[in-house]
Amino acid sequence: MNAATTLVIFGVTGDLASRLLLPALGQLLVTEPDRHVRLIGAGMQDWSDKDLDKVVRTSFESSDAAACIERVEATYRKADITQTADLKKLLSGLDGQVALYFAVPPNVAAAACEALTADMLPDGAMLALEKPFGTNEDSARTLNARLAELVPEEQVFRVDHFLGKSTTLNLLGARFANRVLEPLWSAESIESVTIVYDERLGLEGRAGYYDHAGALVDMIQSHLLQVLAVVAMEQPATLDELDFREATSAVLRATRIKDGDATLSSQRARYTAGSVDGVEKPSYTDEPGVDPKRGTETLAEATFEVRNARWAGVPFILRSGKALSDPAREIVVRFKGVRHIPVGLRGSAAGAVLRFSLAPDQMSLELNLNGADDPFVLERATLSADLGAGQLLAYAEVLSGILDADPMLSVRGDAAEQCWRIVQPVLDAWSNDEVPLDEYAAGSHGPERWPFQR
Ligand code: BG6
């Protein structure tokens, strides 16, 4: 699209805008030389246009996009977006392609959606909302119903930047464009799938949000279930939003905690003091703003099953944690071993392992080959490929969809509700203390008693 698009960022003074959205916008402008953007930043602070301009400049510099600053016309408006009058003033007179990005906490976004009315919105306006979308299945459904009163579903963008990560998108090519993989992609040949996103980062001053969310809601309920949906979906006929999102939604509808038993199929833990790569971390419970009584986990693991003909019996293990050393961030597909090995061939013939690393973007395949020393003894060999970081940051990929009005990479309303349904038994088991809250030292690989296979 060449004409100027209007991007209204609610909460432009916040961390999300300066750290992720604006750098992503800069990168998008670098790759799309014809794009011009009218940026309206709204917030509660007494900022001027100049203050916003400074933030845009710094953000653009951080993504090597300083040269594109001329293609953004930025204005700042002070507004309380939970007030109808402020919203009306902010949105009046906007025309052309308009996107409203709610870079604000979920309760503020929900209140703003209540304050909005359909007649305030320019025709075709896109609404982009950050995760978490609601706080449970019911509240997600209520928010969906409210959004449906404002704009059609195709104009709602429930942002999940993991859908814009290049490795997540690489899964499509690997799965669907290779005859050596496509027919094997089922319980017939696959033993298990692990999707793990561990991080060195600790709380990073986000107690206000994180202490209420915890690792399960922060990462598994949203990002990792979306990745699971891409790994496990049926092949869509096209990659347009209808086919793609129906395929991912269908998988989520078939997904539940393994054996319906959250007590046996989930684990949780939180970090105690330690050092991550030489950086000292206090115990999670000593971090400013944390209420230890909430029992918030900083490491969560849960095993799910996809109850359909393709996947029955295959465990999908999802895990994510903070303050861990040597963190794995990958999708690991473990294949079954062969049925028979010729007598005379010695050594282990464990199933092949296909790994997609989410950061850095790499892919590898472990196979059994004849050994170099003794050709009758099997050895493990790893074929690997560097996939490159992708042209666009995950947020830029997502933003490009929003500005182009293509919701393929945004979470459809029913999928957002399903993701809450899927994790609810785990949340219930944890709040009833049916699963112990383990501990691990910051900088370790997690609790010692957790068997975790890399
Ligand atoms: C965010 C979570 O959505 O994703 C963070 O709130 C997490 O806790 C982050 O650190 C991980 O994604 P990325 O792409 O920044 O590594």
Side-chain angles (χ1 to χ4, degrees):
M1 186 188 318
N2 299 345
T5 311
T6 303
L7 173 63
V8 183
I9 301 184
F10 296 140
V12 80
T13 53
D15 177 63
L16 177 72
S18 58
R19 207 166 45 85
L20 295 169
L21 283 181
L22 293 171
L25 177 64
Q27 204 193 43
L28 201 59
L29 293 178
V30 172
T31 55
E32 299 181 10
D34 291 333
R35 198 190 278 281
H36 291 257
V37 171
R38 217 175 320 136
L39 173 69
I40 300 180
M44 300 277 277
Q45 320 270 17
D46 282 318
W47 276 23
S48 64
D49 290 352
K50 265 210 177 117
D51 293 321
L52 177 59
D53 197 59
K54 215 159 97 193
V55 173
V56 176
R57 266 174 205 282
T58 316
S59 302
F60 275 33
E61 276 158 20
S62 75
S63 57
D64 292 330
C68 296
I69 196 86
E70 305 308 329
R71 281 190 277 134
V72 181
E73 188 196 315
T75 345
Y76 180 76
R77 306 269 195 83
K78 183 174 174 182
D80 177 351
I81 59 163
T82 63
Q83 300 302 316
T84 301
D86 280 21
L87 280 170
K88 208 171 197 163
K89 216 159 106 197
L90 191 63
L91 301 177
S92 78
L94 295 184
D95 54 9
Q97 184 87 320
V98 177
L100 310 185
Y101 201 113
F102 295 79
V104 291
N107 56 334
V108 180
C113 288
E114 280 303 321
L116 270 175
T117 55
D119 61 335
M120 284 181 209
L121 293 167
D123 278 350
M126 257 79 62
L127 306 184
L129 290 104
E130 275 291 328
K131 68 159 232 296
F133 186 82
T135 49
N136 53 31
E137 191 181 350
D138 276 351
S139 62
R141 188 169 294 128
T142 307
L143 187 51
N144 277 334
R146 177 67 195 131
L147 289 164
E149 288 166 359
L150 297 172
V151 294
E153 172 64 24
E154 307 75 62
Q155 287 167 229
V156 180
F157 291 74
R158 294 169 196 80
V159 172
D160 192 306
H161 76 283
F162 271 51
L163 286 173
K165 282 193 186 278
S166 56
T167 295
T168 311
L169 299 172
N170 279 328
L171 278 168
L172 301 175
R175 275 195 63 187
F176 300 128
N178 292 290
R179 189 118 185 192
V180 292
L181 291 180
E182 196 268 336
L184 300 184
W185 211 258
S186 72
E188 203 63 49
S189 302
I190 291 178
E191 195 169 79
S192 70
V193 176
T194 303
I195 303 172
V196 49
Y197 203 85
D198 284 348
E199 298 179 282
R200 289 192 176 84
L201 294 177
L203 190 56
E204 316 301 318
R206 296 166 76 211
Y209 153 72
Y210 193 89
D211 201 38
H212 293 270
L216 181 73
V217 165
D218 183 45
M219 295 297 292
I220 294 181
Q221 187 274 337
S222 48
H223 304 319
L224 301 194
L225 280 174
Q226 292 302 321
V227 176
L228 176 151
V230 177
V231 171
M233 70 180 175
E234 293 303 309
Q235 174 159 179
T238 74
L239 288 186
D240 70 14
E241 67 93 6
L242 268 181
D243 286 342
F244 180 80
R245 300 207 295 177
E246 181 44 36
T248 49
S249 277
V251 166
L252 293 169
R253 286 197 295 276
T255 302
R256 68 162 192 177
I257 191 74
K258 185 169 177 294
D259 302 327
D261 189 337
T263 307
L264 287 180
S265 303
S266 70
Q267 311 195 77
R268 58 179 177 150
R270 71 181 169 197
Y271 64 81
T272 54
S275 121
V276 186
D277 294 338
V279 179
E280 294 301 318
K281 296 251 185 252
S283 181
Y284 176 75
T285 52
D286 292 334
E287 296 265 19
V290 166
D291 178 357
K293 288 200 290 299
R294 267 194 207 107
T296 302
E297 80 288 353
T298 58
L299 172 61
E301 185 179 308
T303 305
F304 299 94
E305 60 186 354
V306 178
R307 296 200 295 170
N308 61 19
R310 183 184 286 271
W311 292 114
V314 177
F316 284 78
I317 303 142
L318 272 49
R319 153 175 164 144
S320 181
K322 301 257 183 218
L324 293 155
S325 87
D326 188 20
R329 288 187 260 174
E330 59 190 9
I331 301 154
V332 186
V333 180
R334 287 177 206 283
F335 287 84
K336 293 180 175 167
V338 291
R339 291 190 188 92
H340 174 75
I341 304 169
V343 177
L345 206 50
R346 300 188 304 280
S348 155
V353 177
L354 179 62
R355 273 172 213 274
F356 297 87
S357 161
L358 287 148
D361 295 274
Q362 283 164 349
M363 185 179 164
S364 70
L365 177 63
E366 288 172 32
L367 296 172
N368 304 311
L369 296 177
N370 295 68
D373 298 336
D374 181 342
F376 294 99
V377 175
L378 292 167
E379 275 181 10
R380 204 73 170 160
T382 303
L383 318 179
S384 51
D386 206 331
L387 301 175
Q391 196 183 15
L392 292 180
L393 293 166
Y395 257 94
E397 196 71 66
V398 167
L399 202 55
S400 143
I402 297 169
L403 299 184
D404 282 344
D406 177 1
M408 176 206 161
L409 293 181
S410 95
V411 178
R412 205 169 69 179
D414 58 318
E417 291 169 22
Q418 287 299 321
C419 288
W420 282 115
R421 179 204 45 84
I422 294 166
V423 299
Q424 194 59 52
V426 182
L427 290 170
D428 292 344
W430 291 5
S431 71
N432 293 335
D433 268 335
E434 288 163 26
V435 175
L437 178 59
D438 290 333
E439 293 192 330
Y440 61 100
S444 68
H445 294 291
E448 271 164 28
R449 72 172 196 88
W450 288 30
F452 182 66
Q453 191 183 12
R454 277 298 278 276

